[in-house]
Amino acid sequence: MNASSAQVVAIPGHSPGPLARLVARSGRWSMYRWTAAGLALVEVCALGAAAAGQLLAGPIDLLMSLAVAVAVSIVANRACAALWHAPVRDESALVTGLIVHLVAWPGTDRVSLLAVVVTAGIAAVSKYALVVRGRRLVNPAAVGLAVSGLVGLGSGSWWVATPVLLPMVAVTGLLVLQRSATWPAAAGAFITGLVGLTVWLAGSGASVPQAAASALGSYPVVFWAAFMVTDPQLLPARRLHQVVAGVASGIALAIPFSLSIGALTVSSSPATAVLVGNLVALGLRARRSRAVDARVGATRSLGGDIVEVDLITSRPISIEAGQYVELTAPSGPWTARGNRRAFTPTSTTGTPGTGLQIIFRAGEPLSSFKRSLLTDGAPLRLEGVRGDLTLPGDPGIPLVLLAGGVGITPFIAFANQLRARGEVRDVVLIHCVRHVDEIIHPEVLSGFRVIVVSPDTDGKLPEDWLRLTGSVPDAEALKRLCPDIGKRLAYVAGSPRSVARYRRALRAAGVLRVRSEALVGI
């Protein structure tokens, strides 16, 4: 259909829900800072409970052990960073210190404080010592607790697991999971652990309701699943694999065991359960767990403030179309979002000398991270490959793709992969943009049936594309654009706010299967 003769339809927009707005705004903070804020809220609630006499420890005990845990974590982290010539990540150290404080007994006696010092110190060292190919192997706090237990100082009292703190732990945990998108691992660990503990307690004589209430309120299942099992750095790329790792942790939590290794005895504990899940996750992500050095190559303007950058990798790297990579820039000016970002490459292979291509907006004000991406030769670290927003194995499945702005990058990767394979699929792409000149690589998308939704009525489009006037299509508009949309597998990509809007519209249009990826940074 010619652009000049295309039907013009006014499309109303959608208002994002409060949770979508909150998660969208959370993208301004690094994942570490978001988690630290959640843990800080739990700490404040704990101080209030201690002041009211609802905890075994008093406020002075909590404050002193908190100061020691955070101070040791940050100081040890800085010392290790200097020793290993690595970037300093104080926010990561703060998160570790807060977790250690919430699980180690908060006493003011020498033994209790020594246990906190050992746990926080070992946790910091493990971030640098227990690393293979640039990737951490295990959860730092869990390692610290395990070592503390092995040397006779105890593997943590997990005092955070008390009914008075459960509501705050649950709320902050849900917000962290929403931000980190690690629901699969958390769900696998929580359900398996809760059911297993309930069965074990019921077998000890308690009724099933009593056993379930005790497992939920007096065992650290919620805190453990939300804040420790779900470290994004340690999880596999695929959601199914994340579930498997979570279930492994849940089984290890629920089944009591004790193993003697020489003079050492390893017993079941929440920390041990986390480590078991970490090892399972390591096996599942082994093929793509290498960190790769990279540098910024050529930069190209794609229209408006959109740019494309080549990342030249030091080693070959393979990425399935639709997956994303985590990039870390060297230490620079401090920003609230930290020095790590997630990008979906539009290319699916990266080899020395050619690399990967990423696309982003470079409008002012420009963050220090994006400035580094626009600096020729700037060093970067590709920390890992994640995500399972990939093409279905069956080429006969009809697809509908919905994206806005630069959120279209996974679908450009789809098009590049299909072109490289010489494969043709039944794909309808609905692309929402503010201005037509912001459409990225229209020549690559020519293999799809493309519908552009934009308030811009002036820009030129390829003759066989359809143009509709509006912002975000509602359910009725989607059914008019694609009459068989209910029979298609839908893919959605973009910011959390956009993804929430698109998913609601697709569900209302009768789409039963929706796959999505919302990148808010790591």
Side-chain angles (χ1 to χ4, degrees):
M1 181 180 293
N2 293 330
S4 59
S5 61
Q7 180 184 8
V8 178
V9 180
I11 300 176
H14 293 270
S15 298
L19 184 57
R21 289 196 299 269
L22 177 61
V23 175
R25 291 173 182 171
S26 74
R28 301 172 185 172
W29 284 8
S30 70
M31 187 64 234
Y32 292 128
R33 196 179 192 196
W34 187 249
T35 305
L39 292 169
L41 288 175
V42 177
E43 295 278 10
V44 171
C45 186
L47 284 171
Q54 295 179 303
L55 299 180
L56 294 177
I60 300 300
D61 299 321
L62 295 188
L63 289 172
M64 182 174 291
S65 59
L66 172 62
V68 171
V70 171
V72 170
S73 183
I74 291 177
V75 171
N77 180 73
R78 283 180 168 264
C80 290
L83 183 63
W84 270 273
H85 304 287
V88 175
R89 298 192 177 104
D90 285 339
E91 287 185 335
S92 172
L94 174 60
V95 168
T96 302
L98 291 172
I99 289 176
V100 168
H101 175 248
L102 289 167
V103 297
W105 176 248
T108 54
D109 60 282
R110 291 182 179 180
V111 174
S112 297
L113 291 177
L114 179 61
V116 171
V117 170
V118 170
T119 302
I122 294 296
V125 173
S126 73
K127 295 182 181 183
Y128 301 88
L130 300 182
V131 173
V132 174
R133 296 170 180 172
R135 296 295 301 275
R136 286 195 286 112
L137 300 180
V138 288
N139 181 284
V143 172
L145 290 167
V147 172
S148 177
L150 288 175
V151 299
L153 294 173
S155 57
S157 65
W158 298 83
W159 61 270
V160 70
T162 178
V164 70
L165 297 181
L166 181 60
M168 180 59 73
V169 170
V171 170
T172 55
L174 290 174
L175 291 175
V176 168
L177 292 176
Q178 180 70 19
R179 173 65 168 78
S180 65
T182 52
W183 289 97
F190 175 75
I191 294 173
T192 306
L194 182 63
V195 171
L197 286 172
T198 299
V199 171
W200 181 68
L201 292 171
S204 301
S207 66
V208 173
Q210 289 175 333
S214 179
L216 190 61
S218 300
Y219 286 78
V221 183
V222 177
F223 180 86
W224 168 85
F227 290 98
M228 296 194 68
V229 174
T230 54
D231 186 338
Q233 291 287 301
L234 303 175
L235 292 176
R238 301 284 190 175
R239 289 189 177 96
L240 178 59
H241 291 169
Q242 292 180 16
V243 173
V244 172
V247 168
S249 289
I251 292 174
L253 178 71
I255 300 179
F257 66 89
S258 180
L259 299 175
S260 296
I261 306 174
L264 300 177
T265 300
V266 179
S267 302
S268 57
S269 70
T272 306
V274 172
L275 296 177
V276 169
N278 291 162
L279 295 178
V280 172
L282 177 63
L284 294 172
R285 66 181 172 89
R287 286 184 57 202
R288 297 189 178 186
S289 62
R290 290 188 179 186
V292 177
D293 290 323
R295 60 181 174 85
V296 176
T299 301
R300 295 169 293 278
S301 175
L302 300 181
D305 61 357
I306 300 174
V307 296
E308 182 176 52
V309 173
D310 293 336
L311 302 180
I312 312 303
T313 57
S314 61
R315 291 198 302 262
I317 182 171
S318 178
I319 301 176
E320 288 192 55
Q323 290 190 307
Y324 63 90
V325 298
E326 298 169 9
L327 293 177
T328 299
S331 297
W334 183 89
T335 64
R337 291 190 62 191
N339 65 342
R340 180 176 292 141
R341 300 288 190 279
F343 294 91
T344 302
T346 55
S347 52
T348 55
T349 58
T351 58
T354 56
L356 302 167
Q357 287 73 48
I358 61 172
I359 295 173
F360 58 91
R361 291 189 179 274
E364 295 292 344
L366 202 60
S367 68
S368 59
F369 188 96
K370 288 187 176 180
R371 289 188 190 280
S372 66
L373 290 180
L374 298 175
T375 303
D376 186 30
L380 298 167
R381 186 77 164 166
L382 195 155
E383 299 283 357
V385 177
R386 300 186 181 280
D388 56 358
L389 192 73
T390 56
L391 286 166
D394 183 358
I397 297 177
L399 308 176
V400 57
L401 316 178
L402 185 54
V406 295
I408 198 174
T409 50
F411 305 147
I412 295 176
F414 284 3
N416 281 325
Q417 181 170 293
L418 293 175
R419 177 180 293 185
R421 294 175 178 175
E423 188 176 315
V424 177
R425 296 198 184 193
D426 180 5
V427 180
V428 175
L429 170 64
I430 303 174
H431 189 20
C432 304
V433 293
R434 290 177 294 182
H435 305 285
V436 170
D437 62 1
E438 293 181 350
I439 296 175
I440 303 169
H441 289 314
E443 73 286 353
V444 174
L445 303 173
S446 59
F448 299 159
R449 182 159 71 91
V450 182
I451 303 167
V452 175
V453 181
S454 174
D456 179 8
T457 59
D458 298 327
K460 294 183 179 180
L461 296 175
E463 292 186 352
D464 57 344
W465 288 20
L466 177 66
R467 181 207 307 267
L468 297 175
T469 302
S471 55
V472 179
D474 61 10
E476 293 304 316
L478 286 174
K479 288 188 283 188
R480 291 198 302 272
L481 297 173
C482 185
D484 64 344
I485 193 169
K487 300 179 181 179
R488 293 178 177 268
L489 172 61
Y491 284 74
V492 176
S495 67
R497 178 177 297 184
S498 298
V499 166
R501 288 177 175 178
Y502 300 155
R503 287 184 65 93
R504 284 198 301 270
L506 287 166
R507 293 295 190 191
V511 178
L512 300 178
R513 298 174 298 167
V514 181
R515 296 182 181 177
S516 63
E517 197 81 78
L519 298 184
V520 291
I522 301 298

Short mmCIF file of all heavy atoms in Angstrom, two decimals, residues 175-200:
data_model
loop_
_atom_site.label_atom_id
_atom_site.label_comp_id
_atom_site.label_asym_id
_atom_site.label_seq_id
_atom_site.Cartn_x
_atom_site.Cartn_y
_atom_site.Cartn_z
N LEU A 175 9.32 -5.30 44.88
CA LEU A 175 9.80 -4.17 44.08
C LEU A 175 11.16 -4.46 43.46
O LEU A 175 11.42 -4.12 42.30
CB LEU A 175 9.86 -2.92 44.95
CG LEU A 175 8.52 -2.34 45.39
CD1 LEU A 175 8.73 -1.17 46.36
CD2 LEU A 175 7.69 -1.89 44.18
N VAL A 176 12.04 -5.09 44.22
CA VAL A 176 13.35 -5.44 43.68
C VAL A 176 13.22 -6.46 42.55
O VAL A 176 13.88 -6.37 41.52
CB VAL A 176 14.26 -5.98 44.80
CG1 VAL A 176 15.51 -6.63 44.22
CG2 VAL A 176 14.65 -4.86 45.75
N LEU A 177 12.34 -7.44 42.73
CA LEU A 177 12.14 -8.45 41.68
C LEU A 177 11.54 -7.83 40.43
O LEU A 177 11.90 -8.20 39.31
CB LEU A 177 11.24 -9.57 42.20
CG LEU A 177 11.84 -10.45 43.30
CD1 LEU A 177 10.80 -11.45 43.78
CD2 LEU A 177 13.07 -11.17 42.79
N GLN A 178 10.62 -6.89 40.60
CA GLN A 178 10.03 -6.21 39.46
C GLN A 178 11.11 -5.44 38.70
O GLN A 178 11.11 -5.41 37.48
CB GLN A 178 8.93 -5.26 39.93
CG GLN A 178 8.24 -4.48 38.82
CD GLN A 178 7.36 -5.37 37.95
OE1 GLN A 178 6.99 -6.46 38.37
NE2 GLN A 178 7.03 -4.91 36.76
N ARG A 179 12.03 -4.84 39.43
CA ARG A 179 13.10 -4.06 38.81
C ARG A 179 14.14 -4.94 38.13
O ARG A 179 14.63 -4.64 37.06
CB ARG A 179 13.76 -3.19 39.88
CG ARG A 179 15.00 -2.44 39.46
CD ARG A 179 14.67 -1.41 38.39
NE ARG A 179 15.80 -0.52 38.18
CZ ARG A 179 16.90 -0.83 37.50
NH1 ARG A 179 17.02 -2.03 36.98
NH2 ARG A 179 17.88 0.05 37.37
N SER A 180 14.49 -6.06 38.78
CA SER A 180 15.55 -6.91 38.25
C SER A 180 15.06 -7.95 37.25
O SER A 180 15.87 -8.57 36.56
CB SER A 180 16.26 -7.63 39.40
OG SER A 180 15.37 -8.53 40.06
N ALA A 181 13.74 -8.14 37.17
CA ALA A 181 13.14 -9.13 36.26
C ALA A 181 13.69 -10.54 36.51
O ALA A 181 13.90 -11.31 35.58
CB ALA A 181 13.36 -8.72 34.81
N THR A 182 13.91 -10.88 37.79
CA THR A 182 14.40 -12.21 38.14
C THR A 182 13.31 -13.04 38.81
O THR A 182 13.58 -13.89 39.67
CB THR A 182 15.62 -12.10 39.07
OG1 THR A 182 15.31 -11.25 40.18
CG2 THR A 182 16.81 -11.52 38.33
N TRP A 183 12.07 -12.80 38.40
CA TRP A 183 10.92 -13.53 38.95
C TRP A 183 11.06 -15.05 38.82
O TRP A 183 10.70 -15.78 39.76
CB TRP A 183 9.64 -13.11 38.24
CG TRP A 183 9.18 -11.73 38.57
CD1 TRP A 183 9.41 -10.59 37.87
CD2 TRP A 183 8.39 -11.33 39.70
NE1 TRP A 183 8.83 -9.50 38.48
CE2 TRP A 183 8.21 -9.94 39.61
CE3 TRP A 183 7.84 -12.01 40.78
CZ2 TRP A 183 7.48 -9.22 40.55
CZ3 TRP A 183 7.12 -11.30 41.72
CH2 TRP A 183 6.94 -9.92 41.59
N PRO A 184 11.53 -15.58 37.68
CA PRO A 184 11.56 -17.04 37.54
C PRO A 184 12.38 -17.73 38.63
O PRO A 184 11.93 -18.72 39.22
CB PRO A 184 12.19 -17.24 36.15
CG PRO A 184 11.85 -16.00 35.40
CD PRO A 184 11.93 -14.91 36.42
N ALA A 185 13.58 -17.21 38.91
CA ALA A 185 14.42 -17.82 39.94
C ALA A 185 13.78 -17.68 41.32
O ALA A 185 13.76 -18.63 42.12
CB ALA A 185 15.81 -17.18 39.93
N ALA A 186 13.24 -16.49 41.61
CA ALA A 186 12.61 -16.25 42.90
C ALA A 186 11.40 -17.16 43.10
O ALA A 186 11.22 -17.73 44.19
CB ALA A 186 12.21 -14.79 43.03
N ALA A 187 10.58 -17.28 42.07
CA ALA A 187 9.39 -18.12 42.19
C ALA A 187 9.76 -19.58 42.40
O ALA A 187 9.18 -20.27 43.24
CB ALA A 187 8.52 -17.97 40.93
N GLY A 188 10.74 -20.06 41.62
CA GLY A 188 11.17 -21.45 41.78
C GLY A 188 11.70 -21.73 43.17
O GLY A 188 11.38 -22.74 43.80
N ALA A 189 12.53 -20.80 43.69
CA ALA A 189 13.11 -20.99 45.02
C ALA A 189 12.05 -20.87 46.11
O ALA A 189 11.99 -21.70 47.03
CB ALA A 189 14.22 -19.96 45.25
N PHE A 190 11.21 -19.84 46.01
CA PHE A 190 10.21 -19.59 47.06
C PHE A 190 9.20 -20.74 47.16
O PHE A 190 8.95 -21.26 48.25
CB PHE A 190 9.50 -18.28 46.78
CG PHE A 190 8.37 -17.99 47.74
CD1 PHE A 190 8.63 -17.56 49.03
CD2 PHE A 190 7.05 -18.16 47.36
CE1 PHE A 190 7.59 -17.31 49.93
CE2 PHE A 190 6.01 -17.92 48.23
CZ PHE A 190 6.28 -17.49 49.52
N ILE A 191 8.63 -21.12 46.03
CA ILE A 191 7.60 -22.17 46.07
C ILE A 191 8.19 -23.49 46.54
O ILE A 191 7.62 -24.17 47.41
CB ILE A 191 6.96 -22.31 44.67
CG1 ILE A 191 6.18 -21.04 44.32
CG2 ILE A 191 6.03 -23.53 44.64
CD1 ILE A 191 5.65 -21.01 42.90
N THR A 192 9.33 -23.87 45.97
CA THR A 192 9.95 -25.14 46.36
C THR A 192 10.36 -25.13 47.83
O THR A 192 10.12 -26.09 48.57
CB THR A 192 11.18 -25.43 45.49
OG1 THR A 192 10.83 -25.36 44.11
CG2 THR A 192 11.75 -26.81 45.79
N GLY A 193 10.99 -24.03 48.25
CA GLY A 193 11.43 -23.95 49.64
C GLY A 193 10.27 -23.94 50.61
O GLY A 193 10.30 -24.62 51.65
N LEU A 194 9.22 -23.16 50.30
CA LEU A 194 8.07 -23.07 51.21
C LEU A 194 7.35 -24.40 51.31
O LEU A 194 7.00 -24.85 52.41
CB LEU A 194 7.12 -21.98 50.71
CG LEU A 194 5.88 -21.72 51.58
CD1 LEU A 194 6.30 -21.24 52.97
CD2 LEU A 194 4.96 -20.71 50.91
N VAL A 195 7.11 -25.04 50.18
CA VAL A 195 6.42 -26.33 50.20
C VAL A 195 7.26 -27.37 50.93
O VAL A 195 6.75 -28.15 51.77
CB VAL A 195 6.12 -26.80 48.76
CG1 VAL A 195 5.61 -28.24 48.76
CG2 VAL A 195 5.09 -25.88 48.11
N GLY A 196 8.56 -27.39 50.64
CA GLY A 196 9.42 -28.37 51.29
C GLY A 196 9.48 -28.18 52.80
O GLY A 196 9.41 -29.16 53.57
N LEU A 197 9.62 -26.93 53.25
CA LEU A 197 9.66 -26.67 54.70
C LEU A 197 8.32 -27.00 55.36
O LEU A 197 8.28 -27.52 56.48
CB LEU A 197 10.01 -25.21 54.95
CG LEU A 197 11.47 -24.80 54.70
CD1 LEU A 197 11.63 -23.29 54.79
CD2 LEU A 197 12.39 -25.50 55.70
N THR A 198 7.24 -26.70 54.65
CA THR A 198 5.91 -27.01 55.21
C THR A 198 5.74 -28.51 55.39
O THR A 198 5.26 -28.98 56.45
CB THR A 198 4.81 -26.47 54.28
OG1 THR A 198 4.94 -25.05 54.16
CG2 THR A 198 3.43 -26.81 54.82
N VAL A 199 6.16 -29.30 54.41
CA VAL A 199 6.06 -30.76 54.51
C VAL A 199 6.93 -31.27 55.66
O VAL A 199 6.52 -32.12 56.45
CB VAL A 199 6.49 -31.41 53.18
CG1 VAL A 199 6.62 -32.93 53.34
CG2 VAL A 199 5.49 -31.08 52.08
N TRP A 200 8.14 -30.72 55.77
CA TRP A 200 9.05 -31.16 56.83
C TRP A 200 8.50 -30.82 58.21
O TRP A 200 8.53 -31.65 59.13
CB TRP A 200 10.41 -30.50 56.62
CG TRP A 200 11.43 -30.90 57.64
CD1 TRP A 200 12.01 -32.13 57.81
CD2 TRP A 200 11.98 -30.05 58.66
NE1 TRP A 200 12.90 -32.10 58.86
CE2 TRP A 200 12.91 -30.84 59.41
CE3 TRP A 200 11.81 -28.72 59.01
CZ2 TRP A 200 13.63 -30.32 60.47
CZ3 TRP A 200 12.54 -28.20 60.07
CH2 TRP A 200 13.43 -28.99 60.78
#
